Structure formats: C-alpha cells, structure tokens
Amino acid sequence: MNGTTLDLQLLEKMKPELTAFCYRMLGSIDDADDAVQEIYIRVWQSWSSFRQESSHKTWIYRIASNLCLDKLRQAKRRVLPVDLSDPAGSINEPRETLPDSSWIWLAPDFGENPEDALIRKDTLQLCFIALLQTLPPRQRAVLILKDVFDWSSKQIAETLGMSPAAVNSALQRARETMDRTRLRSDELSRMEGEPDRELLSRYVEAFEQFDVDRLVALFHEEGCMSMPPFPMWVRGKEDLSKFFTLTRWHCEGSRFLPVKINGGYPALAQYMPSKESSGLVPWGIHVLETKEDHILHVQNFINTRLFSRLGLPERLDR
C-alpha cells in the first residue's frame, strides 16, 4: 500500500468525524463541508512531509484545527434568532434578513457508527452549537477535543501547539464560560427530549391543512417560532395566531417530509407551492422543541441549500 492510497483511505474513514468537528467549530454545515475539502487538499499537499513525530490522526487534526482557527479569526459569532433579540413587539410579515454567515445552521445526521464515540448526540444539539460559538476559537477547539472527542491533554497540546498546562487552563476557562452563559436557546432546548411522534403528526396535519386554530393550540403558552435568516421571531399564542394568519398566502398548500438532523433529532422539511410550476419546492426545515406535551419552540431554518445536504428531493408533486 503506497502513501497516497493510505492517505485517501484514512481521510475517507475520518470524514464524518472531521465534518462533525468542523461543524461544531464553525456553526455551519456549508462551512464545515468547505473546510473538510480544504483539509483534504492540505493533507494531500503535505503528505510527503509527514515525519511521524505524532500519529496520522493528530497530524490531520492539527491541519483541521489550524484551518478552523484561521476561518474564525475574522468571523463574527454565529447565533440563533432567539439569542439575538427580544421577540417581535408587533406582528408584520418578516422582510429584513441577515446574511447566512450570521446564523447557526442545522446539520445532517452524520451517521450512527456504534464504534464511533466521537459523534455524541447531545453535543450536536443546536443549543450546544450556539453555546460553543460564545467561546474564543482556541478555547472552543480545546473543549471540543476534550469534552466531545475525549482526547488527552497531551494529545490536544500536540494538535494545537500548546503545552498541556495551557490546554488545562483553556479547558477550565471554557467550561466556566459554558456553565455561566445564559442563552435563551439553551433554556428553550432543555425542557424535554425529542418531540413525540403524535405531536409531530398533529403539527404536520394542522400545518398542511393550515388550520390556524388547531396549529396554535399545539403550542405552549410561552411557545415561539423563529425563522433564520429573518432576525424577527414570535412568542405567545396570540402573536403566533396573528403571524400564521398573516403568512397564510405563503404557506397554504405546503407538505412535509420527515428528516433527521444534528445527531438523529427528528425534523420536518417543508415544501411549498411553486409559483412557476404545479409542483412543490423546498422552503424550510422545522425543528420542534417541546414542554409539557406542547410545542415550546419551532425553529424554521429557511435555507433551500440544506435540502440537498440532507438528501431531500428537489421537488414534490402535488
């Protein structure tokens, strides 16, 4: 087996974990995919200079970490809408958007390999990704490698070019920041586990029939809906009712497909009627969080590029 063959085989085997690492670092699956492609190129270009002073894995993660740190050097912190502002004071059809680079985006399910302890489900929750983005980039890398990937301080030090003492210090500061940071998205996400199938089914039925009263009845009293890339978000049954009534023209006739995101969490892909044809086209991915058997928060990620990344069809027949 020559070095080039080993290079490709090793990278293919590591691709899911490298993508998951870059996603946690960068908060965007598009950026993570781009980063992994760049990692491939850098590994390929540098393979002949690898001196085996560390393991192949440590060496590749050094490249991955440095690449992510470079990308984050000039980047602004990505957020979720509920962490950016208070809920809308008056209900109008949302028009203002922020660039895609402003937001944390959901990710596909990276696969379930029982031997792969690196892809921990709880550390792929959107609220955890949002918390990670509050950390300085190097602390973020240390915490991911230690608390998610379960690496030793020595291995992290070799990867990031730090001393083990500096790694432990950065880890302590990162954990303290994570413990004291109070994000609204974190509060909304920690109420219950995954929504049950019956509640998801009732949401799909009410939305596809666009029965506003039935739809709003599924929400908790403090229920809310957010829709990146729109910074505006809505809270409370009264405002939700106004919002759904206002956007009826846009959403009526929609259909959903089930999909798994961020470590296997159930979500719903919304297809809406096309203006140009008789079919249905991608619109947004709905992620439901629940409390007391009601919907506490719907995050509707309006980004049609996510559909192909999630393996969803480009259109549906009516």
Side-chain angles (χ1 to χ4, degrees):
M1 183 184 295
N2 62 41
T4 302
T5 305
L6 175 61
D7 174 11
L8 292 173
Q9 288 182 346
L10 182 63
L11 280 174
E12 276 308 305
K13 186 176 180 180
M14 291 179 64
K15 185 174 182 180
E17 66 182 76
L18 283 170
T19 306
F21 171 78
C22 293
Y23 172 65
R24 289 181 178 97
M25 284 291 292
L26 303 173
S28 160
I29 191 59
D30 282 348
D31 284 3
D33 285 342
D34 290 345
V36 170
Q37 291 304 312
E38 288 186 53
I39 292 164
Y40 272 43
I41 292 169
R42 292 190 186 186
V43 169
W44 179 272
Q45 291 173 337
S46 307
W47 189 258
S48 61
S49 64
F50 176 59
R51 296 288 179 257
Q52 301 195 24
E53 294 166 355
S54 59
S55 70
H56 288 115
K57 188 170 190 175
T58 300
W59 179 70
I60 290 170
Y61 267 94
R62 184 179 304 143
I63 292 171
S65 300
N66 287 334
L67 180 63
C68 288
L69 292 173
D70 287 344
K71 287 180 175 292
L72 290 167
R73 200 155 278 126
Q74 303 298 326
K76 292 183 179 180
R77 176 167 73 95
R78 289 178 178 269
V79 297
L80 294 166
V82 295
D83 296 324
L84 183 66
S85 65
D86 289 330
S90 59
I91 306 304
N92 301 296
E93 188 176 332
R95 297 193 182 278
E96 178 198 358
T97 62
L98 294 180
D100 284 357
S101 59
S102 304
W103 306 111
I104 290 164
W105 296 102
L106 55 79
D109 187 1
F110 293 111
E112 297 184 11
N113 179 357
E115 297 176 357
D116 189 359
L118 304 182
I119 313 296
R120 278 183 45 202
K121 191 172 181 178
D122 57 332
T123 66
L124 283 169
Q125 289 181 354
L126 289 161
C127 63
F128 187 80
I129 302 299
L131 277 170
L132 284 174
Q133 308 311 301
T134 66
L135 298 175
R138 190 166 291 272
Q139 287 184 29
R140 194 182 311 173
V142 168
L143 185 127
I144 292 169
L145 291 172
K146 183 66 175 179
D147 287 359
V148 179
F149 286 10
D150 199 26
W151 283 24
S152 68
S153 295
K154 181 176 182 293
Q155 192 176 7
I156 297 170
E158 290 176 1
T159 300
L160 297 179
M162 303 166 68
S163 69
V167 166
N168 291 333
S169 176
L171 180 63
Q172 182 180 349
R173 294 197 303 274
R175 285 173 174 167
E176 288 172 352
T177 300
M178 294 281 277
D179 287 342
R180 70 170 179 265
T181 301
R182 297 288 176 259
L183 295 180
R184 189 182 276 122
S185 59
D186 192 37
E187 294 174 17
L188 294 173
S189 299
R190 292 185 179 274
M191 298 303 176
E192 291 178 6
E194 298 178 359
D196 65 48
R197 291 182 181 180
E198 183 187 353
L199 184 58
L200 284 173
S201 296
R202 284 188 286 155
Y203 181 80
V204 168
E205 185 177 328
F207 201 108
E208 289 184 348
Q209 295 178 8
F210 219 76
D211 185 327
V212 172
D213 290 339
R214 283 175 59 201
L215 194 53
V216 172
L218 297 175
F219 280 81
H220 191 273
E221 288 298 328
E222 293 297 313
C224 52
M225 171 173 272
S226 58
M227 305 144 289
F230 299 102
M232 168 199 174
W233 61 283
V234 181
R235 181 169 65 187
K237 287 190 173 187
E238 183 178 345
D239 283 352
L240 283 165
S241 180
K242 291 177 184 176
F243 179 79
F244 285 128
T245 301
L246 193 65
T247 56
R248 173 185 290 277
W249 68 272
H250 180 78
C251 292
E252 201 164 25
S254 293
R255 278 178 53 199
F256 286 101
L257 289 182
V259 66
K260 298 281 190 179
I261 62 146
N262 289 61
Y265 195 91
L268 300 164
Q270 178 191 354
Y271 290 77
M272 57 171 283
S274 170
K275 296 176 181 176
E276 285 79 33
S277 67
S278 60
L280 300 165
V281 293
W283 176 243
I285 310 292
H286 294 224
V287 183
L288 278 63
E289 292 155 335
T290 61
K291 178 182 180 182
E292 298 166 356
D293 298 323
H294 284 78
I295 298 168
L296 185 62
H297 185 199
V298 175
Q299 299 184 77
N300 181 8
F301 291 87
I302 301 170
N303 183 335
T304 56
R305 291 195 309 278
L306 291 171
F307 281 67
S308 60
R309 189 61 180 84
L310 292 168
L312 291 161
E314 294 180 3
R315 59 181 287 114
L316 298 178
D317 295 329
R318 295 205 188 208

